[in-house]
Amino acid sequence: MLKRMINKKIMITTAALFALFLIYLVPKDTGYILTDVPSKVEVVNASVNTEEIYLLNHRHMLSRTKIVNNKKQNDIAARAKFVLESLIQDGPNSSQLPNGFRAILPSDTKLVSLSYEEEPKLLKVNFSKELLDVKEEDEEKMIEAIVYTATSITEIKQVILYIDNQILTLLPKTKTSLPSTLDRTIGINKQYDFTKTDNINQVTIYYIDEFNDNHYYVPVTKYINDDREKVNIIIDELTSTNTYNSNLMSFLSSNTKLLEAKQVNDIMELDFNSYIFDEGESKNILEEVVYTISLSIKDNYDVSEVVFKVDTEEIYKSVLKTIE
């Protein structure tokens, strides 16, 4: 009898230990199901809209960045108000700015009023006088950030800037004169590299920089003694092994040649040799190459599409209105 009782206790103990072992192996509920993740991500992405804004990077250069905006996309004035308020330091949207970038407008600045005219795609913006409390070296950059950010909205081509209801035509610290109506011809991150004052060509070129292994685009407006077509200057600069600033990059191979450039109505057709392809035998063009070329073309030509060809064969088409 005693032996039978001992065996029974051993069996019960063994069963209990085995049950505990099984419980240990089974993972606890973590609050999510892996198979649900893709569908959840898709739903979130489908409802997210982003806007393009220009912020200062860690090198103190204005850079093309993105910010989430769920305002009605057909309300141009509301979108413009949102992106311009995003340029105010410690402003209403400061928590949404991407890491590594900062706004350039002084923190006390107020956007007093704003109006949009569909024709001629004109935005009128009225800021408080605190806008002018910026440092002298940042006065022009501040105007560039406002204009490039506003005109990143396709429906806006021109900006009239007011300070307390008066059109701003002179920057008080640098004494720089401004046209009453501003557009992207004012340039951005300006670099002057000419030896004579006649025959100056103004070309804006987008380069690549990175922060925490993430690439983004930095436009530089160059003033140079070069009377060639701007598209030729763009490609030559992007294929150069030495940019004017060693911190900026281009992924376009130095062996790439532009064989022909042709503008047909609002389409720019670019015919390259095969070195525009990524390394290897695949006929792929790096996204960074497409973007640096397309964004540069967009700022210098009134076109809606850029068609990439290799030896006359169409390889890729970039629609500038939707490029992100």
Side-chain angles (χ1 to χ4, degrees):
M1 176 69 71
L2 181 61
K3 184 176 180 181
R4 192 162 49 245
M5 289 178 62
I6 292 172
N7 288 338
K8 185 177 181 181
K9 287 184 177 181
I10 291 173
M11 290 175 63
I12 293 172
T13 303
T14 302
L17 289 172
F18 183 69
L20 288 173
F21 179 68
L22 289 177
I23 291 171
Y24 176 79
L25 287 179
V26 176
K28 295 181 180 179
D29 183 7
T30 57
Y32 63 85
I33 302 174
L34 184 61
T35 54
D36 287 343
V37 173
S39 61
K40 288 181 180 179
V41 171
E42 288 176 7
V43 171
V44 171
N45 287 342
S47 62
V48 170
N49 295 309
T50 59
E51 302 283 4
E52 182 180 317
I53 62 174
Y54 286 78
L55 301 173
L56 289 171
N57 68 1
H58 59 296
R59 308 187 201 281
H60 206 71
M61 299 186 76
L62 290 172
S63 306
R64 179 182 183 270
T65 63
K66 293 283 185 177
I67 187 171
V68 174
N69 176 21
N70 287 320
K71 303 289 183 183
K72 292 182 179 179
Q73 294 303 294
N74 59 353
D75 189 339
I76 305 305
R79 290 174 62 194
K81 182 176 185 292
F82 176 83
V83 294
L84 291 177
E85 286 186 334
S86 301
L87 301 182
I88 300 174
Q89 297 172 22
D90 302 318
N93 306 321
S94 59
S95 63
Q96 295 180 243
L97 301 188
N99 291 333
F101 301 90
R102 62 185 179 87
I104 191 171
L105 273 58
S107 58
D108 294 334
T109 304
K110 298 292 186 296
L111 204 168
V112 179
S113 62
L114 177 151
S115 64
Y116 171 67
E117 297 177 10
E118 189 172 347
E119 289 297 334
K121 296 186 175 182
L122 174 67
L123 184 72
K124 295 181 179 179
V125 189
N126 185 23
F127 284 104
S128 64
K129 65 180 185 300
E130 286 79 12
L131 179 77
L132 301 178
D133 290 340
V134 71
K135 295 179 180 178
E136 180 176 342
E137 59 267 27
D138 287 339
E139 265 193 335
E140 282 192 72
K141 280 186 179 293
M142 175 184 69
I143 303 301
E144 294 167 10
I146 292 172
V147 172
Y148 269 70
T149 296
T151 56
S152 292
I153 298 173
T154 304
E155 292 81 2
I156 299 173
K157 296 297 183 186
Q158 301 175 88
V159 178
I160 297 180
L161 186 57
Y162 296 81
I163 302 295
D164 286 342
N165 301 309
Q166 299 294 319
I167 296 179
L168 181 65
T169 56
L170 181 70
L171 296 177
K173 293 184 174 69
T174 60
K175 307 304 179 185
T176 301
S177 297
L178 298 174
S180 57
T181 302
L182 301 162
D183 57 31
R184 290 199 174 196
T185 59
I186 66 166
I188 187 169
N189 292 320
K190 300 181 182 73
Q191 182 227 345
Y192 300 93
D193 186 18
F194 55 84
T195 56
K196 52 184 180 180
T197 56
D198 60 335
N199 195 31
I200 297 176
N201 208 346
Q202 175 185 333
V203 187
T204 299
I205 302 167
Y206 282 74
Y207 296 95
I208 299 168
D209 205 343
E210 65 179 355
F211 180 78
N212 285 348
D213 296 326
N214 293 317
H215 292 138
Y216 60 91
Y217 300 91
V218 180
V220 176
T221 301
K222 300 191 174 190
Y223 297 84
I224 53 180
N225 293 130
D226 192 333
D227 59 1
R228 290 179 300 158
E229 268 294 326
K230 293 185 180 184
V231 63
N232 296 105
I233 299 173
I234 291 168
I235 302 304
D236 278 0
E237 289 288 336
L238 291 176
T239 55
S240 174
T241 54
N242 297 305
T243 64
Y244 89 98
N245 184 327
S246 59
N247 294 317
L248 298 179
M249 302 178 287
S250 170
F251 291 173
L252 189 60
S253 167
S254 59
N255 293 317
T256 303
K257 301 297 180 186
L258 178 62
L259 306 177
E260 183 183 20
K262 180 171 59 176
Q263 183 175 347
V264 181
N265 298 322
D266 63 344
I267 299 174
M268 178 69 77
E269 297 181 357
L270 304 177
D271 191 9
F272 294 93
N273 65 3
S274 59
Y275 283 99
I276 195 172
F277 290 134
D278 190 12
E279 291 183 2
E281 296 182 0
S282 63
K283 292 187 176 182
N284 293 323
I285 304 176
L286 289 174
E287 177 184 286
E288 292 85 354
V289 169
V290 170
Y291 272 51
T292 50
I293 295 175
S294 298
L295 290 170
S296 300
I297 294 294
K298 182 180 179 181
D299 267 23
N300 291 280
Y301 292 90
D302 185 17
V303 295
S304 61
E305 292 181 2
V306 178
V307 175
F308 291 78
K309 296 182 177 182
V310 172
D311 295 328
T312 72
E313 178 187 352
E314 183 174 320
I315 301 298
Y316 190 92
K317 180 183 292 184
S318 175
V319 181
L320 299 181
K321 183 177 181 180
T322 59
I323 191 168
E324 296 182 351

